[in-house]
Amino acid sequence: VLNQVQADKFNIQIEVDYPQEKIPKLFVDSEKIAWVLTNLLSNAIRYSKENGRVVIGVRHKKEYIELYVQDFGKGIDPRYHQSIFDRYFRVPGTKVQGSGLGLSISKDFVESQVYLHNFQHDNAGNYGDRLVILWDFFLEKLLMTLLY
């Protein structure tokens, strides 16, 4: 609800990219992943231009499940791609309020999931940013078979 209010304030469209084919069930801490997605969505909205758009989506790629949030703002300078997940890091010159903890906490939450493959920043071309969480579906299936 808060993200929708924030998006409406700046006339930002939130789009959902969900495939027609069935996505395998993931065994994750739903509260932590919801917090992460809320944080990523909030960041994408705050750093988007007025009248912009933000996409939240999921894809099934062979043995991976990709969950992502993408904006179409100016993007993070490549010099800072390795630092954005550090505690208290703020991109120099950023005018948007924040503590610099959101992405760090998000990364900690995602890395606490047993089946995580990767949490990364992908450059979305010349504009915007795409933050991606990849689950190793093959590893999850293997571990679930061994555990149950």
Side-chain angles (χ1 to χ4, degrees):
V1 174
L2 181 59
N3 282 326
Q4 188 61 58
V5 170
Q6 190 179 12
D8 289 346
K9 181 178 177 182
F10 297 104
N11 197 33
I12 294 172
Q13 288 294 124
I14 298 175
E15 299 173 13
V16 177
D17 180 16
Y18 194 84
Q20 291 183 343
E21 72 271 4
K22 187 175 179 179
I23 297 289
K25 184 174 181 176
L26 293 174
F27 296 91
V28 297
D29 183 329
S30 58
E31 288 182 22
K32 285 183 179 177
I33 296 306
W35 190 94
V36 169
L37 289 175
T38 299
N39 177 260
L40 296 180
L41 192 56
S42 175
N43 284 351
I45 292 166
R46 284 190 288 156
Y47 289 99
S48 289
K49 295 178 182 175
E50 195 166 345
N51 301 313
R53 70 185 180 111
V54 171
V55 179
I56 182 169
V58 64
R59 289 200 175 114
H60 184 194
K61 294 182 166 188
K62 294 186 181 179
E63 64 270 352
Y64 297 106
I65 303 295
E66 177 184 276
L67 190 59
Y68 67 91
V69 174
Q70 181 173 354
D71 68 60
F72 299 90
K74 73 176 193 170
I76 297 169
D77 187 314
R79 293 178 292 174
Y80 305 115
H81 287 181
Q82 295 300 316
S83 303
I84 61 172
F85 297 109
D86 295 345
R87 288 196 183 281
Y88 305 108
F89 180 78
R90 304 273 324 224
V91 173
T94 300
K95 295 182 174 89
V96 177
Q97 287 186 326
S99 64
L101 285 172
L103 287 178
S104 177
I105 292 169
S106 293
K107 185 175 187 214
D108 288 347
F109 279 175
V110 169
E111 288 178 345
S112 72
Q113 304 298 304
V114 175
Y115 314 112
L116 172 75
H117 173 68
N118 200 353
F119 183 44
Q120 64 193 39
H121 169 271
D122 281 352
N123 189 325
N126 294 328
Y127 301 99
D129 291 296
R130 179 180 174 103
L131 288 158
V132 178
I133 303 168
L134 293 174
W135 272 274
D136 189 324
F137 182 63
F138 175 76
L139 176 61
E140 178 180 19
K141 281 179 22 183
L142 177 64
L143 288 174
M144 291 308 291
T145 302
L146 294 173
L147 292 174
Y148 297 99

